[in-house]
Amino acid sequence: MTTVQPTRQDLANKVSLTGKVTINPVFGLVAPVKGQVRYLDVKTPTSTPTKPTRVASVWVSGKATRIEVPAGAVFAGRLVDDRSNVTVGMPIVSAKMIGYGLVADLDGAQAYQIAEGLATVQAQIKNGPGPFPCKVLGTIAALPAGTIPDPPAAPPAAPQPGASAAPPIVVRPDEQGKTEPSEPTGLRVVCTAPADVKLINGATATLEVVTQRAAGVLTLPVEAVAGVQGKGKVDVVGPDGVRQTTEVVLGLSDGKVVEIKSGLTGTETVAVPGPNLPAAKPGEGDPNAPMGGK
């Protein structure tokens, strides 16, 4: 019989994503509070902004919370109607990063897995630079198509005294440099590399998202534990060699070891592999089984 003893170590829960280098990626900004969004008329910049650009505010109880596109990016569209009621975390503005970014598409399971843990992202370019820290932009939520309203028409000039009446002159807005509204996107992570990292558009990259960290926690190999989240069981081996199944509370896991939050002191000897969970009774775990068990 193989046995192990719990050990203490630092642990990180990581999610690995496949992405690529992209020019001018679009990202979304969300409502930081629940309230009514009111947009500003944003002028098309003549160069890449070096300061944040205020594009909207969310109003609640007479107080406004500013929404700003960060420096290095430009406004790319409104995602809801002006004066709409919005909730916390709802995407309300799209922005376009000027330059290179790294984009990784997500599925729904990955999105929920990393939603609360995007503070630390490391990137590696395939056959290229890395690993390096990658700064996350905006939200991972899917974005609808953006809209950009036409600028307000200039008031007609007053006629000069004594001038003959003439048909009004229709002035067409200058299309050169006009911001195009953003296209819809799926769930994805957008991040930027440090300035000294050489990027090539279209290059494949891997993004490693650390969702949680824990220092000096009690751990066991995953093979010694029955269960994957929350509650689990281990077989503690006594001095006489007899196994006794013990319930434990599980925490983080990196796929090799799992955190034991409670149930063990750290001095025990634990059997590997762990206990076998009992087979499910007929109807248990079957979404198509009739309710009531009969």
Side-chain angles (χ1 to χ4, degrees):
M1 179 174 57
T2 303
T3 60
V4 295
Q5 285 191 310
T7 59
R8 290 193 175 274
Q9 67 179 72
D10 295 344
L11 198 58
N13 196 6
K14 303 176 182 179
V15 178
S16 184
L17 307 172
T18 300
K20 65 179 180 179
V21 179
T22 304
I23 293 178
N24 300 343
V26 172
F27 60 96
L29 304 177
V30 303
V33 295
K34 179 181 178 180
Q36 185 187 82
V37 61
R38 300 180 189 176
Y39 291 102
L40 280 68
D41 291 324
V42 182
K43 294 182 179 180
T44 302
T46 57
S47 61
T48 302
T50 58
K51 296 180 179 180
T53 303
R54 185 183 177 191
V55 295
S57 294
V58 177
W59 286 81
V60 54
S61 301
K63 181 180 178 181
T65 301
R66 290 188 171 197
I67 307 299
E68 295 181 330
V69 171
V74 296
F75 172 71
R78 302 177 179 183
L79 303 183
V80 298
D81 293 334
D82 189 33
R83 297 182 180 269
S84 295
N85 292 327
V86 296
T87 56
V88 176
M90 179 185 294
I92 56 175
V93 169
S94 60
K96 182 169 65 175
M97 179 68 194
I98 304 303
Y100 287 117
L102 281 77
V103 178
D105 292 327
L106 306 171
D107 59 31
Q110 290 171 324
Y112 277 100
Q113 208 171 356
I114 69 175
E116 302 300 328
L118 277 172
T120 304
V121 178
Q122 293 284 319
Q124 171 71 57
I125 306 297
K126 185 177 182 180
N127 300 324
F132 53 82
C134 203
K135 182 181 178 181
V136 176
L137 298 176
T139 178
I140 64 173
L143 308 179
T147 60
I148 298 178
D150 292 330
Q160 296 295 328
S164 59
I169 300 174
V170 178
V171 179
R172 295 183 178 274
D174 183 10
E175 296 293 336
Q176 185 177 2
K178 183 179 179 181
T179 302
E180 292 295 329
S182 59
E183 297 291 333
T185 72
L187 293 164
R188 60 183 187 170
V189 172
V190 179
C191 64
T192 57
D196 59 349
V197 175
K198 180 177 176 60
L199 299 176
I200 299 175
N201 187 46
T204 301
T206 297
L207 303 184
E208 186 178 75
V209 182
V210 177
T211 59
Q212 290 178 291
R213 292 184 183 274
V217 295
L218 201 65
T219 64
L220 279 173
V222 293
E223 296 84 3
V225 182
V228 290
Q229 289 183 342
K231 295 182 179 180
K233 294 183 179 181
V234 299
D235 276 349
V236 176
V237 181
D240 55 0
V242 176
R243 294 185 179 209
Q244 181 178 356
T245 300
T246 302
E247 291 188 353
V248 293
V249 177
L250 306 178
L252 300 184
S253 176
D254 63 1
K256 296 180 181 179
V257 298
V258 60
E259 177 188 2
I260 307 299
K261 300 181 73 172
S262 64
L264 299 178
T265 63
T267 60
E268 297 87 352
T269 298
V270 178
V272 179
N276 292 324
L277 294 178
K281 296 178 181 180
E284 289 185 353
D286 182 359
N288 297 317
M291 298 296 289
K294 291 184 180 180

